[in-house]
Amino acid sequence: MIQSEFNRPQRLDTIGAGESQVHVAAEPNERSALAERFGLKAIDRLVADYRIRRDAQGIVATGHLSARVIQACVITDDPVPAAIEEDFAIRFLPETQGEGGDDEIELSEDECDIVFYSGGAIDLGEAAAETLALALDPYPRSPAAEAALRDAGVISEEEATRLAEESGPFGGLAGLRGKLGES
């Protein structure tokens, strides 16, 4: 098992056919290491509540992740606080099932995410960390982002659409003709 910043192994021999509940919460040093890994300013809270059971294919874990993070605005680098509340469904399968190439796993639309494991345990902490990473806003923006873009001369999509409609298909060429005529 790969050692992660937020390691919470759940031994396979403790998981039966019945459903068991497991709560994991990241400690301050783990949250700090995960924030660095994911390029966040901070992770103030990260907890996950799992319902775990075996099925014919492997281990199924469903539950809820709750986190409070501070991301960096992609425009200004200002802090952007975010609350993440994410339901998840994960199927843990032995790595040997993923390596065969001939064995295909059929998934329906509402199926679980697949996480492969090796050894005698699954890592619920790493699964929570990966769930958090997938739930993050890839382009967080602070309230100051719009003004910073405007000051840099970037026009909004609405403005670009309006200008394109006003000028028609040859509007850009007409502007160029005007500039050439001035030379």
Side-chain angles (χ1 to χ4, degrees):
M1 182 184 311
I2 296 172
Q3 192 73 0
S4 72
E5 300 90 339
F6 181 30
N7 188 24
R8 294 295 185 280
Q10 180 72 31
R11 289 185 17 206
L12 297 176
D13 62 1
T14 65
I15 302 170
E19 191 171 271
S20 62
Q21 296 190 11
V22 178
H23 175 83
V24 298
E27 298 296 325
N29 61 328
E30 294 167 326
R31 293 193 312 264
S32 176
L34 286 171
E36 184 176 328
R37 174 175 157 193
F38 297 138
L40 302 172
K41 290 189 176 277
I43 298 175
D44 296 329
R45 178 174 193 263
L46 173 57
V47 299
D49 291 300
Y50 288 90
R51 291 179 308 281
I52 303 170
R53 64 179 171 76
R54 282 188 186 276
D55 74 1
Q57 290 183 312
I59 308 295
V60 175
T62 58
H64 186 80
L65 176 121
S66 180
R68 301 289 178 267
V69 302
I70 301 175
Q71 294 182 268
C73 173
V74 294
I75 307 301
T76 64
D77 199 40
D78 291 342
V80 179
I84 295 171
E85 300 294 333
E86 188 78 14
D87 291 329
F88 59 83
I90 302 169
R91 181 178 305 279
F92 292 90
L93 297 174
E95 278 185 353
T96 55
Q97 259 185 276
E99 295 170 354
D102 295 337
D103 297 339
E104 287 190 20
I105 301 168
E106 293 292 327
L107 298 176
S108 66
E109 248 178 59
D110 56 352
E111 273 291 337
C112 309
D113 290 331
I114 303 290
V115 173
F116 293 101
Y117 68 89
S118 62
I122 56 176
D123 190 345
L124 300 179
E126 181 59 23
E130 290 175 11
T131 299
L132 170 65
L134 291 172
L136 292 171
D137 180 351
Y139 303 106
R141 289 194 174 190
S142 72
E146 202 64 41
L149 286 171
R150 201 171 29 259
D151 291 347
V154 177
I155 62 173
S156 71
E157 189 174 330
E158 293 81 21
E159 290 172 306
T161 301
R162 182 182 51 78
L163 288 172
E165 288 171 355
E166 287 175 0
S167 62
F170 300 107
L173 293 174
L176 181 59
R177 182 181 54 190
K179 288 184 179 183
L180 290 174
E182 294 170 6
S183 307

